[in-house]
Amino acid sequence: MIYQSAREWQAARRKRVLLFGMSGLGKTHISNLLRDAGDWFHYSVDYRIGTRYMGEHIADNFKREAMKVPLLRELLMTDSVHITSNITFNNLAPLSTYLGKPGDPARGGVPFAEYLRRQEQHRVAEVAALLDTPAFIERAEGLYGYPNFVCDSGGSICEVVDPDDPADPVLTALEENLLLVWIEGGEAHRAELIRRFDRAPKPIYYQPDFLKALWADYLKAEGKSEAEVDPDAFLRFGYARLLDHRQPRYRAMARRGVTVTAEDVARVSSPRAFTDLIATALERRGQAA
């Protein structure tokens, strides 16, 4: 770890952290709070994926839909209109819409083979965006003068690395440059995340073997063909299993850094409070060693 103790962390002129954990537990809340303080650079991995690495895929998908409308087709063919996504740190809908949901096209689904193709595109993009982090650390300070850096990672980070491999190239590059911070949720958070997801299922990136097994289980349980699947019903079917699948992977990643609870994160209201929270986590790790 780049900070070996709470004292070293508190004294550091350059504080650099990567936040990871399930979406909805406070990563972006903390990142926005730190950025708004003025001396923290906020690097959003999902934003980088949606702009640098998947921007063309997203825009082409919009254009593909627009080409089905005669008026828009004519305008696109004559370069009379320009279609692009307006992705922001707090609105990643263009990325999630492109990733999509498998199942019945009449209900907004995409064929499973196409879904797997987009999943692989996302995996490649996420790895690249994570490996860009060290360069952005240098850029943040050298170009913009930010001494402190927070990397707001996507919930699927644990799916694109091997948490149990000490030589995993992505995790190695990250831990050499930042303190890895797991925001851990408890059972109450798990139940709340499931409740929110049931209300509004959102596209997800899955580890490939897990996804294929989940899909096969769903088809068998429902007795439906791929084209008959309700996309939202499939996502709801697998969400709790996804949480349980990711938890040990996050825990393995946390062995390379520190752990804070979602309850403690929710109480953070200033950069100073965040700094103190990380110091406490480092003290706790040191006592357990």
Side-chain angles (χ1 to χ4, degrees), residues 242-260:
L242 177 71
L243 294 180
D244 295 340
H245 164 76
R246 287 185 176 179
Q247 196 75 354
R249 299 179 72 87
Y250 289 140
R251 186 171 292 110
M253 286 178 60
R255 292 197 291 266
R256 300 171 179 252
V258 297
T259 300
V260 297

Side-chain angles (χ1 to χ4, degrees), residues 66-118:
M67 288 288 282
K68 299 175 183 178
V69 180
L71 174 62
L72 293 179
R73 176 185 174 85
E74 180 179 347
L75 292 172
L76 283 170
M77 294 296 289
T78 57
D79 290 328
S80 300
V81 295
H82 178 65
I83 295 178
T84 188
S85 71
N86 187 30
I87 195 168
T88 68
F89 280 15
N90 295 310
N91 181 13
L92 299 166
L95 175 59
S96 61
T97 298
Y98 176 73
L99 194 59
K101 309 170 186 179
D104 182 2
R107 286 181 276 190
V110 298
F112 191 65
E114 171 64 13
Y115 187 63
L116 289 176
R117 187 179 75 87
R118 296 184 188 189

Side-chain angles (χ1 to χ4, degrees), residues 190-286:
R190 180 181 184 277
E192 175 60 16
L193 290 177
I194 292 172
R195 187 189 68 80
R196 289 184 202 167
F197 194 85
D198 281 348
R199 187 175 66 243
K202 296 179 180 179
I204 299 173
Y205 173 80
Y206 304 86
Q207 192 274 338
D209 290 339
F210 175 84
L211 171 60
K212 291 173 185 176
L214 186 67
W215 183 248
D217 288 350
Y218 183 78
L219 293 180
K220 182 177 180 180
E222 295 296 313
K224 294 181 177 179
S225 68
E226 292 188 1
E228 295 173 324
V229 169
D230 178 340
D232 285 344
F234 168 70
L235 295 188
R236 291 189 181 100
F237 170 81
Y239 187 67
R241 288 172 60 174
L242 177 71
L243 294 180
D244 295 340
H245 164 76
R246 287 185 176 179
Q247 196 75 354
R249 299 179 72 87
Y250 289 140
R251 186 171 292 110
M253 286 178 60
R255 292 197 291 266
R256 300 171 179 252
V258 297
T259 300
V260 297
T261 68
E263 291 94 343
D264 286 339
V265 164
R267 288 191 288 268
V268 170
S269 59
S270 68
R272 181 64 193 179
F274 175 74
T275 297
D276 290 344
L277 178 63
I278 299 304
T280 300
L282 284 164
E283 284 179 356
R284 188 165 54 244
R285 179 186 173 92

Side-chain angles (χ1 to χ4, degrees), residues 20-238:
F20 69 94
M22 282 301 298
S23 297
L25 295 182
K27 297 190 303 292
T28 301
H29 158 66
I30 292 295
S31 298
N32 287 339
L33 182 151
L34 295 175
R35 183 190 67 227
D36 292 345
D39 60 350
W40 284 80
F41 186 90
H42 176 190
Y43 177 64
S44 167
V45 170
D46 283 340
Y47 179 79
R48 180 69 170 167
I49 291 170
T51 53
R52 172 65 177 84
Y53 292 107
M54 293 187 70
E56 287 189 6
H57 297 318
I58 293 168
D60 284 352
N61 193 48
F62 291 160
K63 292 172 185 176
R64 189 172 295 108
E65 293 302 312
M67 288 288 282
K68 299 175 183 178
V69 180
L71 174 62
L72 293 179
R73 176 185 174 85
E74 180 179 347
L75 292 172
L76 283 170
M77 294 296 289
T78 57
D79 290 328
S80 300
V81 295
H82 178 65
I83 295 178
T84 188
S85 71
N86 187 30
I87 195 168
T88 68
F89 280 15
N90 295 310
N91 181 13
L92 299 166
L95 175 59
S96 61
T97 298
Y98 176 73
L99 194 59
K101 309 170 186 179
D104 182 2
R107 286 181 276 190
V110 298
F112 191 65
E114 171 64 13
Y115 187 63
L116 289 176
R117 187 179 75 87
R118 296 184 188 189
Q119 290 271 310
E120 175 61 11
Q121 289 173 342
H122 191 283
R123 185 196 66 79
V124 171
E126 185 164 2
V127 168
L130 288 167
L131 289 174
D132 284 344
T133 305
F136 268 84
I137 292 173
E138 293 183 7
R139 185 182 183 190
E141 184 169 13
L143 185 59
Y144 300 113
Y146 287 99
N148 305 312
F149 187 97
V150 56
C151 176
D152 179 6
S153 72
S156 56
I157 183 174
C158 67
E159 308 283 20
V160 301
V161 300
D162 183 351
D164 295 313
D165 180 4
D168 181 86
V170 177
L171 288 177
T172 298
L174 294 173
E175 69 178 343
E176 287 176 351
N177 290 276
L178 309 100
L179 177 66
L180 306 188
V181 179
W182 179 28
I183 301 178
E184 181 183 13
E187 283 303 312
H189 294 98
R190 180 181 184 277
E192 175 60 16
L193 290 177
I194 292 172
R195 187 189 68 80
R196 289 184 202 167
F197 194 85
D198 281 348
R199 187 175 66 243
K202 296 179 180 179
I204 299 173
Y205 173 80
Y206 304 86
Q207 192 274 338
D209 290 339
F210 175 84
L211 171 60
K212 291 173 185 176
L214 186 67
W215 183 248
D217 288 350
Y218 183 78
L219 293 180
K220 182 177 180 180
E222 295 296 313
K224 294 181 177 179
S225 68
E226 292 188 1
E228 295 173 324
V229 169
D230 178 340
D232 285 344
F234 168 70
L235 295 188
R236 291 189 181 100
F237 170 81

